[in-house]
Amino acid sequence: VAPAAPPVAPAAAPAPQIHVVQAGENLATISGRYYGTPAKWKLIFNANQDRLTDANNLRVGTRIEIPPN
């Protein structure tokens, strides 16, 4: 009888990317850049509620997390 294979560790979740907000950007344009569609802007907003108080008013230079799609 062959020895049992060692258990496989679960794959680590991909780490979120960091984006620094630039002048003229909004969550929809950032979503378009990372996800290919502006419609997923709320994923970014929800992941950054500790840094963003208003989805329509991003501060230039703010570092935000871009969660995995």
Side-chain angles (χ1 to χ4, degrees), residues 11-34:
Q17 293 179 285
I18 301 296
H19 177 82
V20 179
V21 176
Q22 304 297 312
E25 287 185 320
N26 59 45
L27 291 176
T29 60
I30 295 169
S31 173
R33 176 177 173 184
Y34 289 93

Side-chain angles (χ1 to χ4, degrees), residues 12-66:
Q17 293 179 285
I18 301 296
H19 177 82
V20 179
V21 176
Q22 304 297 312
E25 287 185 320
N26 59 45
L27 291 176
T29 60
I30 295 169
S31 173
R33 176 177 173 184
Y34 289 93
Y35 302 131
T37 176
K40 295 185 177 182
W41 67 269
K42 200 161 189 173
L43 287 175
I44 300 170
F45 181 69
N46 289 338
N48 291 280
Q49 288 192 6
D50 59 329
R51 287 165 247 191
L52 304 176
T53 56
D54 182 353
N56 297 311
N57 187 16
L58 301 183
R59 291 185 136 165
V60 172
T62 302
R63 292 172 55 87
I64 58 173
E65 290 185 12
I66 308 299

